[in-house]
Structures are given as structure tokens and as C-alpha cells.
Amino acid sequence: MDRYDLARAVARDAGKLAHRAFGTSATKMKGRHDVVTEMDREVERFIRAAICARYPGDAIIGEEEGGGAGDRLWLIDPIDGTANYARGLPRYCVSVGYLERGVPLVGAIYDPSHDWLYAAARGEGAWRDGERLSVSPSAEIDAAVVECGWSTRRPTAAYVDLLARVMEAGAAIRRAGSGALGLADVAAGKVEAYVELHINAWDCAAGIVLVREAGGFTNDFFAGDGLRAGNPLLATNAALCAKLAAVSGIPITS
Ligand code: IPD
Ligand code: CA
């Protein structure tokens, strides 16, 4: 089993495990509006064990247990959209990304609520199960939907300012609570863009591969300290890159 096969298999199996406790797993608060469930930890252990069994020399960084970087690196988010998951709201996923020497090569995102597996490998296109994905071709900001991710890691005023700028530019906004699924929606052409002032690498590694393989663009998220400390993220189609870079202040080139 190569790493692309492994990413797809483990994301699906981990999602099925998570779904057994959908809306019922015991919760704790890691911080303000930052919830973790018992299942986040169990699913991360499950994914780590599967990767270690097949590729024991690979490095793993996960949302719940951390870890160190390496040339062959997995970035895993056992449950992305944990606040939705804990409340029984069906918008959450498992996200598994793989990088070699800092280059994102593979991404798999499994959405248990729909039984949808999103997957991409560099040069092989982006897929949801058997369907090839393409970003929206729309250049119309007045018809665009932009998901604006949010966490307490950035000040409220900065987020409100971003929302105002995106809306004043003409786009509609949404925030559905999973950065990984927000990127999958960009790859699938369901929304025109995803923007967040700060997101962590495990939330977006898989989604970045999906968006790029679906013909979209992202900023250089892994620049600087992005892998360890996170960075701003913008993902969109070629036609809206310049406009949304100006609006968000996040540089991106198509
Ligand atoms: C969060 C979600 C959210 C995004 C945050 C993430 P979590 O991850 O992806 O949509 O805006 O930046 O931290 O807490 O649900 O795993
Ligand atoms: Ca997450």
C-alpha cells in the first residue's frame, strides 16, 4: 500500500470510528471555544498506529498529540469541526495530509456524515469518490461565496474587519466550522474561496493538495513557521486570486 492508498484508507476507517460517537463523545475545553472530545484522542491514536505499522520511519504531527517534523511527514487532524461533532451537527471530517521535504503531496479528507471521501495526490487530480473535482470557474465577486474561517487565535476585531472587507468587495460569506471541509468545498467548486487569518497545518495540509489538484491556488502556507505555528490561508480559483489577495491582505499568485 503506497502512502496515497494509506491516506485514503485510514481517513475513511478513522471517520467511521469517529461517527460511532457522533454527538455523544465526552467533551473537555482546551480553551475558549476550543473543545476536544474523547473521540478526537482515540481517532488520533488509531491513525498514528496505522501509519506507524506501514511506515514506521515517517514523522507525524497531529492536532491532539503534537509531534516533530521530518522529511516524510504526516499531518493529521483526527476530527476537524470538533465543535460541530460534539453538538451532533453533521459537518466534520478526518483530515490526513502527507508532505515530503516540505512539499504537500497527498491529501485525504473523509466526511462521515455523507460518506464522502475527498482525495488528491500531486499530479493525479482531486476526487470525491469516483468524481473528479474542479474549482469554480467564476470570476464574479458579486456572485462569489467565501468561507471565512474563525478561531479565538486572532482578535475579534481583525475577523470582523475581514468579514466587512469581503462583503464590501461584493461576496457572500459563510462559516461552517471545518477548515478542511471548507477547502474541500473550494476544490469541489461549491464555494469560490476559503480564507482564514490563522489556521494550523493539520487543518489545511490535505485541503491544500485538493485545491491545487482541482485547478485552484493557495498562498504559500508552509512558508516561514507555518508548519509549526500556523499561518494565514487563502484558497481560491485563478480568476479571483488578485481580488481576494487585495481584500484579505494574504499574498497569493495564480
Ligand atoms: C478548527 C476548524 C475551524 C477553523 C479553525 C480550526 P477544530 O479546527 O477547522 O473551522 O476555522 O481554525 O482550528 O477545532 O474543529 O479541529
Ligand atoms: Ca482542526
Side-chain angles (χ1 to χ4, degrees):
M1 187 182 277
D2 68 16
R3 288 179 174 85
Y4 188 25
D5 290 333
L6 177 59
R8 287 180 287 194
V10 77
R12 185 191 291 279
D13 291 349
K16 291 194 182 294
L17 171 62
H19 211 56
R20 285 191 217 152
F22 175 54
T24 63
S25 189
T27 61
K28 276 191 195 154
M29 297 308 288
K30 290 195 281 189
R32 192 167 68 89
H33 289 291
D34 191 6
V35 68
V36 62
T37 71
E38 269 177 17
M39 194 49 99
D40 287 77
R41 298 203 167 103
E42 187 174 338
V43 171
E44 181 158 329
R45 285 194 295 271
F46 175 87
I47 298 170
R48 283 176 181 274
I51 295 170
C52 281
R54 183 67 187 82
Y55 293 105
D58 287 6
I60 303 173
I61 296 177
E63 171 157 18
E64 306 309 334
E65 291 183 17
D71 279 355
R72 296 178 188 275
L73 173 65
W74 296 81
L75 283 167
I76 59 179
D77 194 341
I79 297 179
D80 187 56
T82 301
N84 287 339
Y85 174 79
R87 291 163 182 263
L89 294 168
R91 177 142 178 115
Y92 78 96
C93 65
V94 175
S95 178
V96 177
Y98 173 73
L99 283 69
E100 263 178 34
R101 285 172 286 280
V103 179
L105 293 186
V106 165
I109 294 173
Y110 181 65
D111 170 353
S113 310
H114 295 95
D115 188 23
W116 283 342
L117 180 67
Y118 297 90
R122 198 167 161 182
E124 295 188 31
W127 302 83
R128 187 182 61 219
D129 300 310
E131 185 187 338
R132 189 154 188 170
L133 304 179
S134 301
V135 295
S136 162
S138 177
E140 301 301 320
I141 192 79
D142 286 345
V145 175
V146 177
E147 175 151 7
C148 300
W150 172 81
S151 78
T152 57
R153 296 184 298 273
R154 287 294 177 270
T156 303
Y159 183 69
V160 172
D161 183 51
L162 174 70
L163 297 183
R165 281 183 282 129
V166 171
M167 293 172 81
E168 277 161 13
I173 50 143
R174 75 201 289 265
R175 186 218 166 221
S178 163
L181 285 179
L183 291 167
D185 282 347
V186 175
K190 303 291 184 198
V191 302
E192 275 67 36
Y194 185 90
V195 61
E196 184 156 353
L197 296 172
H198 176 272
I199 191 163
N200 285 305
W202 48 76
D203 297 310
C204 64
I208 285 172
V209 184
L210 273 160
V211 169
R212 291 179 180 168
E213 286 298 315
F217 296 85
T218 74
N219 61 306
D220 188 7
F221 174 82
F222 291 99
D225 210 11
L227 178 65
R228 195 191 58 81
N231 255 334
L233 178 67
L234 172 60
T236 188
N237 64 14
L240 290 168
C241 267
K243 178 90 191 169
L244 289 175
V247 166
S248 67
I250 302 171
I252 182 172
T253 41
S254 62

